[in-house]
Amino acid sequence: MNIVQFISTLFVLWFVFLMFPILLSAQDSLTLKTSRGMQFSAVDNHDFQLRKFVVPTALIAYGASSFAIPKMKKWDLQTRNEVLHKNPARTTIDNYTQYFPAVMVYGLNAFNVEGLHDFKHRTLIYLTSQLISGAIVFPAKQFIAEERPDGTNKKSFPSGHAATAFATAHFMYKEYRDKNIWLGLAGYPFAVFTGIYRVINNRHWVSDIVAGAGIGIASTELAYWLYPKMTGLFKGGEQRPGQSAFIPYIGHNRFGINAVRSF
């Protein structure tokens, strides 16, 4: 895979990331607005539907296939070599762009551009998605122990930056797709940029990025599905007798879930 093929592949992936939510939206919409985009129900956003996981599962499978198919690993090596040969300028901005979509969500809300949820509910969903993503990424890095392209350690697969970036981009999509579909999609370019620069900075293989993207999207979908079960969202936000709630927490160098049972 030369540099032209690499860039072409990235544009194809970008197209997939952009078209996946649009196609999903077309199937999920209850009514179709005009230039404002598509309108959705809160129930649909929180439903568990296997088709929502088709693309993220395919992305994870693509990344994992590099361990089983020699040609896939060869493409990773060829891409890394081509990128190094071109010697593009490196930057550390990818450490920040992974969070840009989430910052945009809160920034828009600060300017009274409301999304699907209010501050408290939105924050709980976002933290849950990051918790799920971290619970997948960190153990996988330790267990798989794939060496980074720059040889600094063996925590390359999957890409945590890509997982965070696509989790936040999909979070923005879920919050704003019923407001304006294009506004909802605005986080994906930052996610793709983050993934590209993880490769340019010689910190990840392409397969790491693709798998990380799948994990991020799936984590956000799972967070939206779990949310009603954690808070009783569709029952007025109040816990009924005998109802359980699961609240994620993030502390110093640790994360987990608190279980609460009401009687």
PDB file of all heavy atoms in Angstrom, residues 119-147:
ATOM      1  N   PHE A 119     -27.741  18.879  30.508  1.00  0.00           N
ATOM      2  CA  PHE A 119     -26.347  18.756  30.920  1.00  0.00           C
ATOM      3  C   PHE A 119     -26.098  17.504  31.758  1.00  0.00           C
ATOM      4  O   PHE A 119     -25.164  16.740  31.493  1.00  0.00           O
ATOM      5  CB  PHE A 119     -25.928  19.998  31.718  1.00  0.00           C
ATOM      6  CG  PHE A 119     -24.512  19.955  32.217  1.00  0.00           C
ATOM      7  CD1 PHE A 119     -23.469  20.405  31.425  1.00  0.00           C
ATOM      8  CD2 PHE A 119     -24.215  19.457  33.480  1.00  0.00           C
ATOM      9  CE1 PHE A 119     -22.154  20.364  31.873  1.00  0.00           C
ATOM     10  CE2 PHE A 119     -22.914  19.411  33.946  1.00  0.00           C
ATOM     11  CZ  PHE A 119     -21.881  19.864  33.135  1.00  0.00           C
ATOM     12  N   LYS A 120     -26.936  17.262  32.760  1.00  0.00           N
ATOM     13  CA  LYS A 120     -26.723  16.139  33.660  1.00  0.00           C
ATOM     14  C   LYS A 120     -26.836  14.802  32.943  1.00  0.00           C
ATOM     15  O   LYS A 120     -25.955  13.939  33.065  1.00  0.00           O
ATOM     16  CB  LYS A 120     -27.731  16.190  34.816  1.00  0.00           C
ATOM     17  CG  LYS A 120     -27.590  15.046  35.808  1.00  0.00           C
ATOM     18  CD  LYS A 120     -28.607  15.166  36.937  1.00  0.00           C
ATOM     19  CE  LYS A 120     -30.006  14.884  36.434  1.00  0.00           C
ATOM     20  NZ  LYS A 120     -31.007  14.869  37.540  1.00  0.00           N
ATOM     21  N   HIS A 121     -27.899  14.639  32.174  1.00  0.00           N
ATOM     22  CA  HIS A 121     -28.120  13.371  31.489  1.00  0.00           C
ATOM     23  C   HIS A 121     -27.079  13.136  30.401  1.00  0.00           C
ATOM     24  O   HIS A 121     -26.583  12.023  30.223  1.00  0.00           O
ATOM     25  CB  HIS A 121     -29.526  13.357  30.882  1.00  0.00           C
ATOM     26  CG  HIS A 121     -30.589  13.369  31.934  1.00  0.00           C
ATOM     27  ND1 HIS A 121     -31.898  13.679  31.651  1.00  0.00           N
ATOM     28  CD2 HIS A 121     -30.548  13.136  33.269  1.00  0.00           C
ATOM     29  CE1 HIS A 121     -32.626  13.621  32.760  1.00  0.00           C
ATOM     30  NE2 HIS A 121     -31.819  13.299  33.753  1.00  0.00           N
ATOM     31  N   ARG A 122     -26.762  14.207  29.667  1.00  0.00           N
ATOM     32  CA  ARG A 122     -25.755  14.097  28.609  1.00  0.00           C
ATOM     33  C   ARG A 122     -24.393  13.709  29.186  1.00  0.00           C
ATOM     34  O   ARG A 122     -23.674  12.882  28.616  1.00  0.00           O
ATOM     35  CB  ARG A 122     -25.661  15.436  27.884  1.00  0.00           C
ATOM     36  CG  ARG A 122     -24.612  15.472  26.784  1.00  0.00           C
ATOM     37  CD  ARG A 122     -24.695  16.779  26.028  1.00  0.00           C
ATOM     38  NE  ARG A 122     -24.341  17.922  26.863  1.00  0.00           N
ATOM     39  CZ  ARG A 122     -25.170  18.882  27.222  1.00  0.00           C
ATOM     40  NH1 ARG A 122     -26.437  18.831  26.860  1.00  0.00           N
ATOM     41  NH2 ARG A 122     -24.765  19.893  27.958  1.00  0.00           N
ATOM     42  N   THR A 123     -24.039  14.306  30.312  1.00  0.00           N
ATOM     43  CA  THR A 123     -22.748  14.017  30.930  1.00  0.00           C
ATOM     44  C   THR A 123     -22.679  12.573  31.402  1.00  0.00           C
ATOM     45  O   THR A 123     -21.638  11.909  31.251  1.00  0.00           O
ATOM     46  CB  THR A 123     -22.495  14.969  32.112  1.00  0.00           C
ATOM     47  OG1 THR A 123     -22.496  16.319  31.630  1.00  0.00           O
ATOM     48  CG2 THR A 123     -21.155  14.675  32.772  1.00  0.00           C
ATOM     49  N   LEU A 124     -23.758  12.055  31.953  1.00  0.00           N
ATOM     50  CA  LEU A 124     -23.785  10.667  32.392  1.00  0.00           C
ATOM     51  C   LEU A 124     -23.588   9.718  31.214  1.00  0.00           C
ATOM     52  O   LEU A 124     -22.845   8.732  31.310  1.00  0.00           O
ATOM     53  CB  LEU A 124     -25.103  10.368  33.104  1.00  0.00           C
ATOM     54  CG  LEU A 124     -25.265   8.946  33.657  1.00  0.00           C
ATOM     55  CD1 LEU A 124     -24.138   8.611  34.637  1.00  0.00           C
ATOM     56  CD2 LEU A 124     -26.620   8.786  34.332  1.00  0.00           C
ATOM     57  N   ILE A 125     -24.237  10.022  30.097  1.00  0.00           N
ATOM     58  CA  ILE A 125     -24.082   9.192  28.905  1.00  0.00           C
ATOM     59  C   ILE A 125     -22.647   9.254  28.391  1.00  0.00           C
ATOM     60  O   ILE A 125     -22.044   8.217  28.061  1.00  0.00           O
ATOM     61  CB  ILE A 125     -25.060   9.636  27.800  1.00  0.00           C
ATOM     62  CG1 ILE A 125     -26.494   9.328  28.211  1.00  0.00           C
ATOM     63  CG2 ILE A 125     -24.738   8.952  26.475  1.00  0.00           C
ATOM     64  CD1 ILE A 125     -27.538   9.899  27.285  1.00  0.00           C
ATOM     65  N   TYR A 126     -22.091  10.457  28.339  1.00  0.00           N
ATOM     66  CA  TYR A 126     -20.724  10.618  27.835  1.00  0.00           C
ATOM     67  C   TYR A 126     -19.725   9.858  28.714  1.00  0.00           C
ATOM     68  O   TYR A 126     -18.854   9.142  28.204  1.00  0.00           O
ATOM     69  CB  TYR A 126     -20.357  12.096  27.775  1.00  0.00           C
ATOM     70  CG  TYR A 126     -18.929  12.337  27.361  1.00  0.00           C
ATOM     71  CD1 TYR A 126     -18.496  12.017  26.079  1.00  0.00           C
ATOM     72  CD2 TYR A 126     -17.996  12.869  28.254  1.00  0.00           C
ATOM     73  CE1 TYR A 126     -17.181  12.219  25.696  1.00  0.00           C
ATOM     74  CE2 TYR A 126     -16.685  13.076  27.878  1.00  0.00           C
ATOM     75  CZ  TYR A 126     -16.280  12.752  26.595  1.00  0.00           C
ATOM     76  OH  TYR A 126     -14.972  12.946  26.227  1.00  0.00           O
ATOM     77  N   LEU A 127     -19.854   9.998  30.027  1.00  0.00           N
ATOM     78  CA  LEU A 127     -18.939   9.298  30.926  1.00  0.00           C
ATOM     79  C   LEU A 127     -19.102   7.790  30.816  1.00  0.00           C
ATOM     80  O   LEU A 127     -18.126   7.037  30.906  1.00  0.00           O
ATOM     81  CB  LEU A 127     -19.168   9.757  32.368  1.00  0.00           C
ATOM     82  CG  LEU A 127     -18.773  11.196  32.692  1.00  0.00           C
ATOM     83  CD1 LEU A 127     -19.100  11.529  34.150  1.00  0.00           C
ATOM     84  CD2 LEU A 127     -17.291  11.431  32.414  1.00  0.00           C
ATOM     85  N   THR A 128     -20.340   7.338  30.607  1.00  0.00           N
ATOM     86  CA  THR A 128     -20.574   5.904  30.436  1.00  0.00           C
ATOM     87  C   THR A 128     -19.888   5.385  29.177  1.00  0.00           C
ATOM     88  O   THR A 128     -19.274   4.312  29.183  1.00  0.00           O
ATOM     89  CB  THR A 128     -22.080   5.607  30.373  1.00  0.00           C
ATOM     90  OG1 THR A 128     -22.712   6.059  31.568  1.00  0.00           O
ATOM     91  CG2 THR A 128     -22.340   4.118  30.220  1.00  0.00           C
ATOM     92  N   SER A 129     -19.973   6.150  28.092  1.00  0.00           N
ATOM     93  CA  SER A 129     -19.328   5.721  26.843  1.00  0.00           C
ATOM     94  C   SER A 129     -17.816   5.648  27.011  1.00  0.00           C
ATOM     95  O   SER A 129     -17.168   4.714  26.518  1.00  0.00           O
ATOM     96  CB  SER A 129     -19.685   6.668  25.694  1.00  0.00           C
ATOM     97  OG  SER A 129     -19.034   7.918  25.819  1.00  0.00           O
ATOM     98  N   GLN A 130     -17.243   6.615  27.730  1.00  0.00           N
ATOM     99  CA  GLN A 130     -15.807   6.599  27.960  1.00  0.00           C
ATOM    100  C   GLN A 130     -15.408   5.458  28.893  1.00  0.00           C
ATOM    101  O   GLN A 130     -14.346   4.855  28.730  1.00  0.00           O
ATOM    102  CB  GLN A 130     -15.364   7.936  28.559  1.00  0.00           C
ATOM    103  CG  GLN A 130     -15.518   9.123  27.618  1.00  0.00           C
ATOM    104  CD  GLN A 130     -14.761   8.937  26.308  1.00  0.00           C
ATOM    105  OE1 GLN A 130     -13.555   8.724  26.306  1.00  0.00           O
ATOM    106  NE2 GLN A 130     -15.478   9.009  25.197  1.00  0.00           N
ATOM    107  N   LEU A 131     -16.258   5.146  29.836  1.00  0.00           N
ATOM    108  CA  LEU A 131     -16.012   4.032  30.735  1.00  0.00           C
ATOM    109  C   LEU A 131     -15.999   2.713  29.974  1.00  0.00           C
ATOM    110  O   LEU A 131     -15.104   1.876  30.160  1.00  0.00           O
ATOM    111  CB  LEU A 131     -17.087   4.006  31.826  1.00  0.00           C
ATOM    112  CG  LEU A 131     -17.053   2.850  32.817  1.00  0.00           C
ATOM    113  CD1 LEU A 131     -15.793   2.932  33.675  1.00  0.00           C
ATOM    114  CD2 LEU A 131     -18.292   2.846  33.688  1.00  0.00           C
ATOM    115  N   ILE A 132     -16.987   2.528  29.115  1.00  0.00           N
ATOM    116  CA  ILE A 132     -17.064   1.306  28.318  1.00  0.00           C
ATOM    117  C   ILE A 132     -15.855   1.198  27.394  1.00  0.00           C
ATOM    118  O   ILE A 132     -15.221   0.139  27.284  1.00  0.00           O
ATOM    119  CB  ILE A 132     -18.369   1.268  27.499  1.00  0.00           C
ATOM    120  CG1 ILE A 132     -19.577   1.183  28.435  1.00  0.00           C
ATOM    121  CG2 ILE A 132     -18.364   0.089  26.526  1.00  0.00           C
ATOM    122  CD1 ILE A 132     -20.906   1.369  27.733  1.00  0.00           C
ATOM    123  N   SER A 133     -15.529   2.295  26.720  1.00  0.00           N
ATOM    124  CA  SER A 133     -14.381   2.307  25.817  1.00  0.00           C
ATOM    125  C   SER A 133     -13.095   1.957  26.561  1.00  0.00           C
ATOM    126  O   SER A 133     -12.305   1.114  26.108  1.00  0.00           O
ATOM    127  CB  SER A 133     -14.249   3.684  25.155  1.00  0.00           C
ATOM    128  OG  SER A 133     -13.121   3.733  24.315  1.00  0.00           O
ATOM    129  N   GLY A 134     -12.887   2.590  27.714  1.00  0.00           N
ATOM    130  CA  GLY A 134     -11.683   2.305  28.496  1.00  0.00           C
ATOM    131  C   GLY A 134     -11.634   0.882  28.995  1.00  0.00           C
ATOM    132  O   GLY A 134     -10.560   0.258  29.037  1.00  0.00           O
ATOM    133  N   ALA A 135     -12.803   0.329  29.349  1.00  0.00           N
ATOM    134  CA  ALA A 135     -12.866  -1.037  29.841  1.00  0.00           C
ATOM    135  C   ALA A 135     -12.528  -2.054  28.750  1.00  0.00           C
ATOM    136  O   ALA A 135     -12.170  -3.197  29.045  1.00  0.00           O
ATOM    137  CB  ALA A 135     -14.250  -1.325  30.400  1.00  0.00           C
ATOM    138  N   ILE A 136     -12.641  -1.636  27.488  1.00  0.00           N
ATOM    139  CA  ILE A 136     -12.267  -2.500  26.363  1.00  0.00           C
ATOM    140  C   ILE A 136     -10.826  -2.252  25.939  1.00  0.00           C
ATOM    141  O   ILE A 136     -10.033  -3.185  25.769  1.00  0.00           O
ATOM    142  CB  ILE A 136     -13.217  -2.273  25.168  1.00  0.00           C
ATOM    143  CG1 ILE A 136     -14.640  -2.663  25.540  1.00  0.00           C
ATOM    144  CG2 ILE A 136     -12.745  -3.078  23.952  1.00  0.00           C
ATOM    145  CD1 ILE A 136     -15.669  -2.283  24.495  1.00  0.00           C
ATOM    146  N   VAL A 137     -10.474  -0.978  25.784  1.00  0.00           N
ATOM    147  CA  VAL A 137      -9.171  -0.616  25.222  1.00  0.00           C
ATOM    148  C   VAL A 137      -8.008  -0.996  26.137  1.00  0.00           C
ATOM    149  O   VAL A 137      -7.047  -1.638  25.695  1.00  0.00           O
ATOM    150  CB  VAL A 137      -9.116   0.887  24.896  1.00  0.00           C
ATOM    151  CG1 VAL A 137      -7.685   1.319  24.561  1.00  0.00           C
ATOM    152  CG2 VAL A 137     -10.044   1.208  23.732  1.00  0.00           C
ATOM    153  N   PHE A 138      -8.072  -0.608  27.397  1.00  0.00           N
ATOM    154  CA  PHE A 138      -6.924  -0.811  28.280  1.00  0.00           C
ATOM    155  C   PHE A 138      -6.579  -2.285  28.506  1.00  0.00           C
ATOM    156  O   PHE A 138      -5.413  -2.680  28.388  1.00  0.00           O
ATOM    157  CB  PHE A 138      -7.140  -0.087  29.610  1.00  0.00           C
ATOM    158  CG  PHE A 138      -7.206   1.404  29.463  1.00  0.00           C
ATOM    159  CD1 PHE A 138      -8.225   2.126  30.048  1.00  0.00           C
ATOM    160  CD2 PHE A 138      -6.257   2.087  28.714  1.00  0.00           C
ATOM    161  CE1 PHE A 138      -8.306   3.505  29.905  1.00  0.00           C
ATOM    162  CE2 PHE A 138      -6.321   3.464  28.565  1.00  0.00           C
ATOM    163  CZ  PHE A 138      -7.340   4.175  29.151  1.00  0.00           C
ATOM    164  N   PRO A 139      -7.559  -3.153  28.806  1.00  0.00           N
ATOM    165  CA  PRO A 139      -7.217  -4.574  28.918  1.00  0.00           C
ATOM    166  C   PRO A 139      -6.723  -5.165  27.603  1.00  0.00           C
ATOM    167  O   PRO A 139      -5.832  -6.018  27.593  1.00  0.00           O
ATOM    168  CB  PRO A 139      -8.533  -5.221  29.356  1.00  0.00           C
ATOM    169  CG  PRO A 139      -9.312  -4.128  29.984  1.00  0.00           C
ATOM    170  CD  PRO A 139      -8.959  -2.896  29.205  1.00  0.00           C
ATOM    171  N   ALA A 140      -7.313  -4.720  26.473  1.00  0.00           N
ATOM    172  CA  ALA A 140      -6.887  -5.240  25.170  1.00  0.00           C
ATOM    173  C   ALA A 140      -5.431  -4.893  24.890  1.00  0.00           C
ATOM    174  O   ALA A 140      -4.665  -5.716  24.374  1.00  0.00           O
ATOM    175  CB  ALA A 140      -7.790  -4.689  24.062  1.00  0.00           C
ATOM    176  N   LYS A 141      -5.035  -3.672  25.221  1.00  0.00           N
ATOM    177  CA  LYS A 141      -3.636  -3.274  25.035  1.00  0.00           C
ATOM    178  C   LYS A 141      -2.693  -4.182  25.833  1.00  0.00           C
ATOM    179  O   LYS A 141      -1.644  -4.602  25.337  1.00  0.00           O
ATOM    180  CB  LYS A 141      -3.441  -1.818  25.470  1.00  0.00           C
ATOM    181  CG  LYS A 141      -3.969  -0.778  24.484  1.00  0.00           C
ATOM    182  CD  LYS A 141      -3.747   0.625  25.038  1.00  0.00           C
ATOM    183  CE  LYS A 141      -4.192   1.685  24.054  1.00  0.00           C
ATOM    184  NZ  LYS A 141      -3.275   1.810  22.901  1.00  0.00           N
ATOM    185  N   GLN A 142      -3.067  -4.473  27.074  1.00  0.00           N
ATOM    186  CA  GLN A 142      -2.230  -5.308  27.931  1.00  0.00           C
ATOM    187  C   GLN A 142      -2.183  -6.750  27.436  1.00  0.00           C
ATOM    188  O   GLN A 142      -1.123  -7.385  27.424  1.00  0.00           O
ATOM    189  CB  GLN A 142      -2.763  -5.269  29.371  1.00  0.00           C
ATOM    190  CG  GLN A 142      -2.716  -3.907  30.029  1.00  0.00           C
ATOM    191  CD  GLN A 142      -1.289  -3.417  30.274  1.00  0.00           C
ATOM    192  OE1 GLN A 142      -0.358  -4.204  30.420  1.00  0.00           O
ATOM    193  NE2 GLN A 142      -1.112  -2.098  30.318  1.00  0.00           N
ATOM    194  N   PHE A 143      -3.333  -7.264  27.041  1.00  0.00           N
ATOM    195  CA  PHE A 143      -3.425  -8.663  26.631  1.00  0.00           C
ATOM    196  C   PHE A 143      -2.770  -8.914  25.275  1.00  0.00           C
ATOM    197  O   PHE A 143      -2.026  -9.880  25.100  1.00  0.00           O
ATOM    198  CB  PHE A 143      -4.889  -9.094  26.600  1.00  0.00           C
ATOM    199  CG  PHE A 143      -5.093 -10.509  26.146  1.00  0.00           C
ATOM    200  CD1 PHE A 143      -4.820 -11.566  27.000  1.00  0.00           C
ATOM    201  CD2 PHE A 143      -5.553 -10.783  24.855  1.00  0.00           C
ATOM    202  CE1 PHE A 143      -5.008 -12.878  26.578  1.00  0.00           C
ATOM    203  CE2 PHE A 143      -5.737 -12.089  24.430  1.00  0.00           C
ATOM    204  CZ  PHE A 143      -5.465 -13.144  25.302  1.00  0.00           C
ATOM    205  N   ILE A 144      -3.052  -8.033  24.307  1.00  0.00           N
ATOM    206  CA  ILE A 144      -2.541  -8.237  22.941  1.00  0.00           C
ATOM    207  C   ILE A 144      -1.066  -7.870  22.837  1.00  0.00           C
ATOM    208  O   ILE A 144      -0.292  -8.534  22.136  1.00  0.00           O
ATOM    209  CB  ILE A 144      -3.385  -7.426  21.939  1.00  0.00           C
ATOM    210  CG1 ILE A 144      -4.825  -7.959  21.950  1.00  0.00           C
ATOM    211  CG2 ILE A 144      -2.801  -7.500  20.530  1.00  0.00           C
ATOM    212  CD1 ILE A 144      -5.802  -7.118  21.163  1.00  0.00           C
ATOM    213  N   ALA A 145      -0.659  -6.810  23.516  1.00  0.00           N
ATOM    214  CA  ALA A 145       0.754  -6.394  23.581  1.00  0.00           C
ATOM    215  C   ALA A 145       1.387  -6.231  22.197  1.00  0.00           C
ATOM    216  O   ALA A 145       2.476  -6.728  21.923  1.00  0.00           O
ATOM    217  CB  ALA A 145       1.559  -7.390  24.413  1.00  0.00           C
ATOM    218  N   GLU A 146       0.690  -5.492  21.344  1.00  0.00           N
ATOM    219  CA  GLU A 146       1.220  -5.198  20.005  1.00  0.00           C
ATOM    220  C   GLU A 146       2.204  -4.035  20.088  1.00  0.00           C
ATOM    221  O   GLU A 146       1.904  -2.996  20.677  1.00  0.00           O
ATOM    222  CB  GLU A 146       0.059  -4.820  19.059  1.00  0.00           C
ATOM    223  CG  GLU A 146       0.481  -4.315  17.695  1.00  0.00           C
ATOM    224  CD  GLU A 146       0.954  -5.433  16.763  1.00  0.00           C
ATOM    225  OE1 GLU A 146       1.086  -6.586  17.237  1.00  0.00           O
ATOM    226  OE2 GLU A 146       1.163  -5.142  15.575  1.00  0.00           O
ATOM    227  N   GLU A 147       3.376  -4.197  19.521  1.00  0.00           N
ATOM    228  CA  GLU A 147       4.390  -3.147  19.583  1.00  0.00           C
ATOM    229  C   GLU A 147       4.009  -1.961  18.700  1.00  0.00           C
ATOM    230  O   GLU A 147       3.511  -2.128  17.582  1.00  0.00           O
ATOM    231  CB  GLU A 147       5.745  -3.681  19.140  1.00  0.00           C
ATOM    232  CG  GLU A 147       6.884  -2.695  19.346  1.00  0.00           C
ATOM    233  CD  GLU A 147       8.253  -3.297  19.056  1.00  0.00           C
ATOM    234  OE1 GLU A 147       8.304  -4.313  18.345  1.00  0.00           O
ATOM    235  OE2 GLU A 147       9.247  -2.750  19.549  1.00  0.00           O
TER     236      GLU A 147
END
